[in-house]
Amino acid sequence: MGPALNPRPHPNMPTKRQLEANRANARRSGGPRSVHGKARASRNAVRHGLTRPDLSSDFLAKVERLAHRLAGKSKNEIVCAFAREAAEANLELARVRRVKVGLIERASAFGALVPPKHFRCQMQEVRWCIQMDLWFRGLRATRPPQPLAIDPLDSMPVGEPDQLAEAARRVLGELVRLDRYERRAASRRHRAIRAMLKAKTEDPLGAS
């Protein structure tokens, strides 16, 4: 029996170094450049943690299992690399969707994502601050009453379908911001699967 064939890779196939660079670039985002934008993004990171990749052992084990299923019996390094990237993107997509569901459930349970407000509008807060200032300076006889926290649950509908709809409305801004993560993960998964299938058909080792 002759030596095992080791066909040359297709000229359009990326190298291992290129694949690793692509995966690293996919994890990075240009993000906001202004001070205000960076501050807002940092709050988002604290809230849902999607700006950082999941490097837990459980997540990495799931990636390997799913990548093995996607690659099948192929031992081709390029196919396996694309399968691993597709698996990472698929699990990241599921992670984003879990965060979305969690936001709606939290708003449904507590009425809001942020601490309860003490004033119904900014003008009400300004008037209270003016009264406190007058009291501190001795121009007001009594101290203004301490505002009580407004329970956001008081204004939530009673029925479950209406309550979930209202909860989704209250976190709509956050859901829209999370769409960027969802679209990015879905696009990355699509590209990786398409490249993996192409590599399987163009390389004899990919279809073995």
Side-chain angles (χ1 to χ4, degrees):
M1 181 180 296
L5 294 177
N6 186 17
R8 297 177 62 184
H10 191 277
N12 292 330
M13 283 187 180
T15 64
K16 182 179 180 181
R17 181 175 296 179
Q18 288 172 329
L19 286 172
E20 292 298 330
N22 289 340
R23 291 170 63 187
N25 289 335
R27 293 192 184 99
R28 292 195 296 266
S29 172
R33 289 177 170 80
S34 66
V35 175
H36 175 72
K38 289 179 179 179
R40 182 180 60 193
S42 66
R43 291 193 295 271
N44 290 340
V46 171
R47 180 169 294 163
H48 51 62
L50 293 175
T51 55
R52 297 186 297 272
D54 189 346
L55 300 178
S56 65
S57 58
D58 181 61
F59 180 81
L60 296 178
K62 289 179 180 179
V63 168
E64 291 302 319
R65 288 196 297 268
L66 182 55
H68 182 72
R69 289 171 53 191
L70 292 173
K73 297 181 180 180
S74 175
K75 301 299 181 182
N76 182 275
E77 188 175 339
I78 301 296
V79 173
C80 293
F82 277 131
R84 190 172 292 108
E85 183 168 356
E88 286 183 358
N90 188 73
L91 292 173
E92 186 66 17
L93 183 61
R95 181 184 173 201
V96 175
R97 290 172 177 172
R98 285 197 302 272
V99 170
K100 282 188 169 185
V101 172
L103 290 177
I104 295 175
E105 290 178 345
R106 178 178 176 83
S108 179
F110 300 103
L113 297 178
V114 296
K117 297 180 179 180
H118 288 73
F119 302 95
R120 297 192 179 278
C121 63
Q122 188 175 11
M123 182 56 66
Q124 189 180 41
E125 182 177 2
V126 169
R127 288 172 180 168
W128 183 83
C129 290
I130 292 174
Q131 292 172 1
M132 281 292 293
D133 179 65
L134 293 174
W135 178 71
F136 272 123
R137 292 191 293 160
L139 302 177
R140 177 186 168 98
T142 59
R143 177 174 179 169
Q146 192 71 16
L148 300 177
I150 301 171
D151 188 356
L153 281 176
D154 290 343
S155 57
M156 289 290 286
V158 178
E160 182 177 354
D162 293 336
Q163 191 174 19
L164 289 176
E166 175 62 17
R169 188 193 68 80
R170 294 186 181 188
V171 298
L172 184 59
E174 290 294 328
L175 297 179
V176 170
R177 281 188 282 271
L178 289 174
D179 279 343
R180 176 170 65 93
Y181 298 94
E182 187 171 5
R183 289 195 304 269
R184 185 174 61 185
S187 177
R188 183 182 169 207
R189 180 184 63 177
H190 177 71
R191 289 195 305 268
I193 290 178
R194 186 171 55 186
M196 181 191 69
L197 295 176
K198 183 179 179 181
K200 279 187 175 184
T201 58
E202 294 184 350
D203 192 327
L205 292 178
S208 62

